[in-house]
Amino acid sequence: MATKAAPNRTVRFRIKRCDGPGKPSYWHEFDVVPEKNANVISCLKQIAEHPVTASGQKVSPPVWDSGCLEEVCGACTMVVNGKVRQTCTCLVDVYAPNNGDTITLEPMSKFPVVRDLWVDRQRLFHNLTRIKGWVPIDNTYALGPGPKESPEKQQVRYKLSECMSCGCCLEACPQFQLETNESKWDDAFIGANAISQVRYFNEHQTGKQLKSDRLDTMSEKGGISDCGNAQNCVKVCPKEIPLTESIGAVGRAVTIHSIASFFSRK
Amino acid sequence: MGTEPGFFKRHHFLLRRLHSLSGIVPIGLFLVNHLLTNSTIAWGMINSRGAEGLPPSVIEQVGQSTAMRVGTFQHEVGFINNMPFLILIEIALWVSIAFHAILGVYYATSGSPNVKHYAYQDNWRYSLQRLTGYVAILYIFYHVATLRWGWTWLTPTDEPWTYERASSTLAMALRGQMTGLSAGGMAVSLFYFIGITACVYHFANGLWTAAISWGLTVSESAQKRWGYVCTGFGAALMLLAWASLIGFLTIDIDDARQVEMSKHATTAATDQNALVEHLAAAETE
Ligand code: HEM
Ligand code: SF4
Ligand code: SF4
Ligand code: FES
C-alpha cells in the first residue's frame, strides 16, 4: 500500500484491559515507535517487552491471542478503533500514519474475556456442533468412494470453506449477543458463520445425509429466523464469504423443509 | 415443572414467519388500499366521475376541483363503510396489527443496533426498521383512537370524525381550525407526516427483508434487483401517503361540508332519518 507513514513517529495505543473473567475493565495507554511495516501484533509485542504506560507507570504486560500471523486462524481478532478485524494484518502505517496518532484496541464484546484482549470463542465452535458441521463417514468398514461432486457445487463450497471461525461476523451482528451462561447457548442466535456452514455441508453429496437435522436446528429458537437482515456480517467478513447469500439459501431450504415436514412428519 | 419447552419456544419459527407474513397480508395489503383511498382527496380532481350525483348548484358553489376531490373520497369511504362484515374485517386487522406489533417489539428489543460503529447503509435500514416500528405503534394507536374511537380530547378540534362527513371532520382533526393551522393542528399534522412516512418505509423495507427470510431472493444480485422493486414501490406509496396529507391540509373545509351534505342526502335519500336530518341542517344553514 502506498501510504506514506512518518518514520520514527510515536503511535499511542489505547488498550482496554481486564484482569480475568467477570473482572471490571479499565484502560491503559502506551506509546510505541513502530518498527518498519509494523502490524498491531508486532506493536503489542513491543509493549509486552516494555510494559510501561504513557504516564510512566509499570504495569503487567497486556495479554492477547494469535496464531498464524497471516489471517487464516482468526485467533487475533479484536475490535480496532471500534470495528472488528484481525490484528495480525492490521497495518500500523495505514491506521496511524502520523506522529501522535492513536489506535484503540478492545477485545471482542460478544465473547467472554479471558484476559485483556484475549477472548474465549468456545461458543462459536459449540455452534458448529449444533448444526452438525461435519460429513458423516464413521463406520466399522471402508465405505468406498463417495458420490461425485459437480464442479459448480465445488465452486460454491470452496468459497464457503474459507471460513476460519474468527467471529467477526458475530461481533458486528446486531442480533448476536454475548451469552456467558453455557446452558443458554442452544437457544441463542447462532450467527451468520454457522448458517453459512449449514449451506456448506448441505451442498456436499455425503454431507447432505444430515441435511434434515441441520434444517431442524435452523428452524428452532436461535436458528435462522432470528437473523434481522442487517447484513453487517457480510461486510466485515475478512474472507468475503457471501454470508447473506447463504442466509437467503438456507432461508429457502428451511421454508421448503418446514412445509414438507408439516405434511410428512410423523 | 415440566421439561416441555414453552409455547413460544416450540413455535418460535412459525411465529417468526407469521410475523413476517402478517406484515405483508393483511397489514401491508390494507396499507396500500388505505393510501389509495385516502389519496383520492388529492387526485380525485382527475376522476371524471368524481362529482357524479352532486347538484350543479353545489358544484358551482365549491368549484369543480373540490367537488371532484371530496366527491371521490366520500364515495370511496361510503363504499368501504357499506362493505359486508366490515366489523369482522376490522377485527381481523386489529388482531393482526396487535400480533405484529407485540411480537415486533419483542423482536426489536432482542437486538442491539450498532450503527455507531458499523455505519453501513444496510445496518441503517435494520435500525430504521425497528425505529419505524415503534413510531408506527404510536401513530396507528393515535390515528385509530382519535378517528375511530372518538377520543377528540387528543385532537385540536372537538368535532368527532364520522364517515358521512369524512373529509371535513378529518381535515378539522388535522388542522384544528377552518382556515390555516392552529398550533395543535401543526403538531398533529407533523405527527401524521412522520407517522405515515414511517409506516411506508417500514412496509417497503419489510418487503425487501421478507424476501430474504423466506428465501425468495438468494443471490446478491437478486437481492439488489428486488431492492429496486421495493424502492420503487415504496416511493410510489410514499407519494400516495404524502398526497393524502397534502389533500386534507389544502381542502376548503366549508366547501367540503357542502359536498358531504348533498352527497349524503342523495345517497341516503331513502333513509327517512337522514332526510329529516338533512332538511333540518339545510334549515339552519
Ligand atoms: C405497529 C407497530 C409495528 C411494529 C412494532 C413492527 C415491528 C417490526 C419488526 C421489528 C420487524 C422486523 C422483524 C425481523 O426482521 O425479525 C418487522 C418486520 C416487518 N414489518 Fe412490522 N411492525 C409494525 C407495524 C407494521 C406495519 C403497519 C406494517 C405494514 C405496513 C409492517 C410490515 C412489516 C413487514 C413486511 C416486515 C418484514 C418481515 C420480514 O423481514 O420477514 N409492520 N416489523
Ligand atoms: S464467516 Fe467470515 S467473519 Fe464469520 S467467522 Fe467465518 S471467516 Fe470469520
Ligand atoms: S444479516 Fe443476520 S446474521 Fe448477518 S449481521 Fe445481519 S442479523 Fe446478523
Ligand atoms: S494470527 Fe491468525 S488470523 Fe491473525
Side-chain angles (χ1 to χ4, degrees):
Chain A
M1 217 168 287
T3 32
K4 277 273 177 294
N8 296 324
R9 69 197 186 285
T10 301
V11 174
R12 170 72 56 98
F13 280 83
R14 284 184 73 229
I15 298 181
K16 192 176 188 179
R17 307 204 51 178
C18 171
D19 294 340
K23 300 253 172 68
S25 43
Y26 54 94
W27 292 87
H28 275 159
E29 303 198 1
F30 301 91
D31 283 331
V32 175
V33 179
E35 296 159 351
K36 198 161 174 288
N37 297 330
N39 60 48
V40 165
I41 297 284
S42 71
C43 289
L44 279 172
K45 285 182 177 163
Q46 278 178 268
I47 293 170
E49 268 169 28
H50 182 66
V52 177
T53 66
S55 54
Q57 186 192 357
K58 184 148 179 23
V59 295
S60 64
V63 176
W64 72 91
D65 194 8
S66 65
C68 66
L69 298 181
E70 53 179 7
E71 205 175 273
V72 289
C73 77
C76 66
T77 309
M78 293 174 205
V79 176
V80 183
N81 292 347
K83 260 192 178 158
V84 71
R85 63 161 296 155
Q86 278 67 55
T87 45
C88 66
T89 49
C90 181
L91 299 179
V92 177
D93 284 358
V94 177
Y95 272 66
N98 302 309
N99 193 36
D101 280 352
T102 300
I103 293 178
T104 303
L105 300 180
E106 295 166 75
M108 281 197 278
S109 63
K110 305 288 174 78
F111 299 99
V113 174
V114 179
R115 187 162 181 174
D116 294 336
L117 300 169
W118 176 23
V119 298
D120 179 1
R121 289 179 295 145
Q122 186 55 45
R123 177 172 161 208
L124 195 158
F125 303 107
H126 173 81
N127 283 348
L128 293 176
T129 66
R130 273 166 82 184
I131 58 128
K132 303 198 173 164
W134 55 76
V135 173
I137 50 166
D138 282 353
N139 216 318
T140 50
Y141 58 93
L143 292 170
K148 274 235 158 41
E149 298 289 336
S150 77
E152 290 79 15
K153 290 209 164 165
Q154 280 176 331
Q155 287 293 326
V156 173
R157 283 210 332 275
Y158 181 73
K159 197 62 212 160
L160 306 180
S161 77
E162 285 183 84
C163 174
M164 57 178 168
S165 299
C166 64
C168 281
C169 54
L170 307 176
E171 175 67 16
C173 172
Q175 295 288 107
F176 188 92
Q177 318 299 353
L178 171 70
E179 182 53 77
T180 49
N181 183 348
E182 279 187 42
S183 68
K184 291 193 177 158
W185 283 355
D186 285 345
D187 279 347
F189 180 44
I190 198 159
N193 71 311
I195 296 173
S196 192
Q197 291 298 300
V198 167
R199 184 183 182 206
Y200 175 63
F201 286 105
N202 283 357
E203 288 291 334
H204 186 275
Q205 292 303 321
T206 311
K208 80 176 176 202
Q209 286 177 16
L210 297 174
K211 183 173 175 178
S212 181
D213 291 359
R214 296 194 189 101
L215 294 181
D216 280 343
T217 305
M218 280 291 107
S219 52
E220 281 165 7
K221 186 166 171 11
I224 193 169
S225 67
D226 285 344
C227 161
N229 294 307
Q231 307 206 328
N232 286 353
C233 48
V234 73
K235 302 201 178 66
V236 298
C237 174
K239 297 295 161 195
E240 297 176 346
I241 294 171
L243 294 167
T244 46
E245 299 197 351
S246 290
I247 290 167
V250 175
R252 175 178 292 187
V254 172
T255 300
I256 295 166
H257 175 73
S258 55
I259 294 172
S261 57
F262 177 82
F263 289 108
S264 59
R265 192 179 46 221
K266 298 212 182 79
Chain B
M1 290 278 109
T3 47
E4 177 80 341
F7 176 84
F8 283 96
K9 192 179 161 186
R10 269 183 293 133
H11 300 289
H12 186 82
F13 178 75
L14 182 66
L15 287 169
R16 278 278 197 181
R17 286 291 167 94
L18 283 178
H19 177 255
S20 173
L21 186 67
S22 67
I24 300 169
V25 269
I27 308 175
L29 191 68
F30 168 78
L31 181 72
V32 174
N33 179 59
H34 195 52
L35 292 179
L36 276 172
T37 306
N38 292 353
S39 57
T40 56
I41 199 67
W43 59 262
M45 67 175 90
I46 60 166
N47 173 14
S48 57
R49 294 171 56 195
E52 220 165 61
L54 287 175
S57 61
V58 171
I59 299 179
E60 199 175 321
Q61 199 185 340
V62 305
Q64 186 75 23
S65 150
T66 304
M68 287 162 100
R69 284 164 68 186
V70 177
T72 310
F73 179 66
Q74 290 300 127
H75 176 80
E76 292 297 318
V77 171
F79 171 75
I80 291 171
N81 209 66
N82 287 323
M83 275 196 337
F85 310 116
L86 182 63
I87 188 70
L88 292 185
I89 297 175
E90 259 186 290
I91 289 173
L93 208 73
W94 285 346
V95 168
S96 309
I97 293 177
F99 170 81
H100 186 94
I102 292 168
L103 277 184
V105 168
Y106 168 66
Y107 295 152
T109 50
S110 72
S112 47
N114 55 8
V115 280
K116 192 170 156 242
H117 291 303
Y118 302 96
Y120 310 120
Q121 192 191 322
D122 287 314
N123 202 22
W124 274 104
R125 269 197 319 85
Y126 166 90
S127 297
L128 278 176
Q129 183 71 0
R130 273 95 193 128
L131 182 68
T132 52
Y134 292 128
V135 173
I137 295 189
L138 296 179
Y139 170 72
I140 294 172
F141 180 77
Y142 176 83
H143 184 59
V144 173
T146 53
L147 300 183
R148 190 68 181 77
W149 305 336
W151 294 15
T152 47
W153 52 277
L154 274 176
T155 68
T157 175
D158 30 60
E159 217 182 327
W161 182 85
T162 61
Y163 93 91
E164 299 94 336
R165 309 180 59 188
S167 314
S168 63
T169 50
L170 179 50
M172 278 304 275
L174 270 178
R175 283 145 67 174
Q177 58 195 37
M178 295 290 285
T179 48
L181 285 172
S182 68
M186 223 173 282
V188 171
S189 300
L190 183 68
F191 184 48
Y192 261 73
F193 175 73
I194 296 171
I196 58 180
T197 304
C199 286
V200 170
Y201 170 86
H202 187 93
F203 179 44
N205 186 54
L207 276 181
W208 188 75
T209 54
I212 305 174
S213 303
W214 290 79
L216 291 174
T217 51
V218 173
S219 73
E220 205 182 306
S221 45
Q223 291 178 10
K224 258 213 183 85
R225 278 196 296 275
W226 179 239
Y228 295 133
V229 174
C230 292
T231 310
F233 178 67
L237 268 192
M238 201 69 100
L239 287 182
L240 289 184
W242 291 344
S244 314
L245 187 58
I246 292 170
F248 285 109
L249 288 177
T250 54
I251 202 86
D252 185 310
I253 296 180
D254 213 20
D255 288 350
R257 282 184 184 161
Q258 297 286 324
V259 176
E260 288 162 356
M261 253 187 312
S262 62
K263 185 117 185 148
H264 183 55
T266 41
T267 53
T270 48
D271 183 333
Q272 203 62 34
N273 284 339
L275 194 61
V276 171
E277 234 176 70
H278 172 61
L279 292 176
E283 227 159 60
T284 54
E285 209 52 51

